[in-house]
Amino acid sequence: MSKLPEHIAIIMDGNGRWASARLMPRSYGHSQGVKALDVTLRYAFSLGIRIVSVYAFSTENRSRPRAETERLFALLREYIDEYSDKMQTEKIKLNIMGDISKLPADLQTAVSKALKLTANNTGGIFNIGLNYGGRDEILRAVNKLLAAGNKNINADEFEKELYTAGLPDPDLIIRPGGELRLSNFMLWQAAYSELYFTDVLWPDFDKAELQKALQEYGKRERRFGKVTEKNEK
Ligand code: IPE
Ligand code: IPE
Ligand code: MG
């Protein structure tokens, strides 16, 4: 593969439609979605991608029916618990974006345990957006800087207050599920990310789908506003 992104971010969308198409409850789609996550995540790390960010639960998803959000939180807790040991052997460090303080206590416990366990790992970073919203993240950072007495805010200081402090911006954002939008995901960090959309629903996403996205990424010319040899002609 020619040019590999250092950081990919995935908006895992389409679980509900995947289940409905099979006349199954939406929660079945979410459990299959967790399986797709496991396959994709481990494949990405095995290829040498250093950081994988995923959107697991947005601030807007809080307004979904309670039964669905509870099921989702339970699935995420199970996954984080199970994956903790693997993260340890694979030297993957966990990072969380979002305010988890109001999420179910068992999920918070699983997260804190995994964060502690993997804190010193240097093999790769698994970054989960959990009760995450880009606008929330930006306001939280601004308010922190204001509370610290800042009158002016520069980009470097601002980025230190984001959930992604110390991480490079995503090179590639992948959205399965057919929608062409960011849905409040990594708004600041997405400024120069390459975007890849596919109609494949998240539970059907697999190694081959990730390969397609990476191949497409390999063809993109990232200009960052500059004139390059290619676009000068
Ligand atoms: C999963 O897909 C993403 C989450 C919000 C957890 P959805 O649950 O949004 O599935 P669709 O978009 O309704 O098909
Ligand atoms: C985005 O999916 C959020 C996650 C994948 C966690 P949504 O299904 O919530 O997005 P919208 O509502 O279609 O924009
Ligand atoms: Mg959706």
Side-chain angles (χ1 to χ4, degrees), residues 8 10 36 39-40 43 47 172 174 176 196-216:
I8 63 169
I10 308 175
V39 169
T40 307
Y43 184 54
L47 291 175
L172 172 66
I174 299 172
Y196 176 86
F197 297 99
T198 168
D199 288 336
V200 168
L201 302 172
W202 176 246
D204 287 329
F205 201 90
D206 57 11
K207 291 181 184 178
E209 293 304 327
L210 181 61
Q211 273 169 6
K212 279 188 214 165
L214 295 174
Q215 254 158 26
E216 168 70 28

